[in-house]
Amino acid sequence: MVSARSAGEPEGRWRLVELARMAGVSPQQVRNYIDTGLLPPVERTASGYRIFTARHAEALVAVRQVAAGHGWERARIIMNAVHEGDVAGALAAVDAGHADLTRERAGIA
């Protein structure tokens, strides 16, 4: 994912701007993704700065890919389930998305 480290920056941690740049989105979009549950909950330092890890970077890439295939609302449902450890719920939402796409394709033909 992100391989460039700032001097003194712990390995596997990113600042908000680094994470946003890696995904090609704005820092505000990353904040919005956190607020809507598209990214896992974020811990904060004692001074209030968000701590982003490889888990957040991977989720950011994944959510954009899921949204490309299933749309943002379904992506939110899927990713919320993933972050809550509800694998069955996430898979059910993916299956429902596939069923919706199948119905859409059938309506086009």
Side-chain angles (χ1 to χ4, degrees):
M1 301 236 127
V2 177
S3 57
R5 296 282 62 167
S6 301
E9 190 78 19
E11 188 64 32
R13 285 191 169 180
W14 290 275
R15 294 178 305 152
L16 176 62
V17 294
E18 292 173 326
L19 196 62
R21 189 176 304 125
M22 179 268 308
V25 299
S26 71
Q28 184 58 52
Q29 275 183 290
V30 174
R31 288 184 200 100
N32 293 343
Y33 292 171
I34 294 164
D35 293 344
T36 58
L38 290 166
L39 294 183
V42 178
E43 291 184 33
R44 291 183 178 262
T45 65
S47 56
Y49 289 100
R50 292 177 179 90
I51 300 172
F52 295 102
T53 64
R55 182 174 179 223
H56 297 96
E58 291 167 1
L60 184 54
V61 171
V63 73
R64 295 182 57 78
Q65 292 172 344
V66 170
H70 292 277
W72 285 103
E73 181 55 30
R74 181 139 357 243
R76 186 189 60 73
I77 293 165
I78 292 166
M79 296 305 288
N80 272 285
V82 167
H83 301 316
E84 292 171 4
D86 180 10
V87 175
L91 293 175
V94 169
D95 288 344
H98 289 159
D100 288 347
L101 290 170
T102 299
R103 281 190 293 281
E104 284 180 36
R105 279 193 299 273
I108 293 172

